[in-house]
Amino acid sequence: MKLVKKLAIANASAVIAITGVGASSTAQAVQLFDFQYSFPSYEANGTGISASGTLTTTDLDPIKNNYTITGITGTRTIQGISETIIGILSPGTYGINDNLLNASRPVLTQNGFSYLVSGGGEDGNGNVNVFYSSFNEGYSELSSDVDYGSFSVIPRPVPEPYTVTGSLVALGFGWWMKRKQALASQKKPHKISIC
């Protein structure tokens, strides 16, 4: 009887946990994209700019077919100096950025996304804006020193909440069964043989 009650409680707890995770995950769905770009110098003797890291976005907006960038990490390199990317700037903060990542090509809008770095950035205050040219020439930074170059994003797989929760429930159940067997084997009387 005790086993039936314990199983019922365990099953009810698992259902509540899975429901709770599923309900909160739809409201807080995020996507991760690894990004990389490289823009050559506009001048013959100038230095190019490159950056790489991870973009954190909302889930895909099916009507607009884009993601909103909500976070960024990584590094930006200019003239051999690496600057740490500190965070994303709010839309409209620098370079009329909208912080949108398109699900189709071009992956950035003409307003692009803006972020803050630990160094001087484009404006000397640490601000950087990456965008797609309105003349379809390619991707670039707002800086007048660089030309158009390559920009790529690769989606990073994020485990589904139900998969994570299901794995935790299975591990918990397996641990509980193993412990139950261990306790049962300790309670068995040992036979003493007399010769």
Side-chain angles (χ1 to χ4, degrees):
M1 189 67 176
K2 288 182 182 180
L3 177 63
V4 172
K5 286 182 181 178
K6 287 181 181 179
L7 282 174
I9 291 171
N11 284 337
S13 298
V15 168
I16 291 169
I18 290 171
T19 304
V21 168
S24 65
S25 68
T26 56
Q28 301 171 356
V30 298
Q31 302 293 321
L32 300 175
F33 294 88
D34 291 328
F35 76 92
Q36 182 174 357
Y37 67 79
S38 178
F39 305 135
S41 173
Y42 189 72
E43 301 168 0
N45 59 351
T47 305
I49 295 173
S50 62
S52 63
T54 302
L55 298 172
T56 304
T57 72
T58 60
D59 205 3
L60 179 68
D61 181 335
I63 296 169
K64 296 179 181 176
N65 199 32
N66 61 24
Y67 305 85
T68 300
I69 302 168
T70 58
I72 186 173
T73 59
T75 56
R76 175 180 181 261
T77 304
I78 180 169
Q79 296 178 348
I81 299 171
S82 288
E83 301 173 322
T84 302
I85 297 174
I86 297 171
I88 198 80
L89 296 173
S90 299
T93 305
Y94 181 69
I96 63 168
N97 60 307
D98 55 20
N99 294 355
L100 296 177
L101 183 67
N102 296 323
S104 57
R105 299 240 176 245
V107 294
L108 295 180
T109 66
Q110 296 171 8
N111 297 325
F113 68 95
S114 294
Y115 63 90
L116 185 65
V117 294
S118 60
E122 296 168 350
D123 63 353
N125 296 317
N127 296 314
V128 176
N129 176 262
V130 184
F131 65 95
Y132 185 73
S133 164
S134 58
F135 302 107
N136 297 325
E137 296 171 301
Y139 302 95
S140 190
E141 280 190 357
L142 194 56
S143 170
S144 60
D145 297 336
V146 293
D147 205 352
Y148 298 101
S150 64
F151 179 89
S152 64
V153 290
I154 300 171
R156 186 187 291 181
V158 178
E160 291 292 325
Y162 291 115
T163 303
V164 173
T165 304
S167 298
L168 291 175
V169 169
L171 285 172
F173 186 73
W175 172 82
W176 177 74
M177 289 299 290
K178 187 173 181 178
R179 186 167 189 260
K180 184 175 172 10
Q181 288 175 349
L183 289 174
S185 68
Q186 289 176 355
K187 290 182 181 179
K188 286 184 181 176
H190 296 285
K191 292 184 181 179
I192 301 174
S193 60
I194 301 176
C195 296

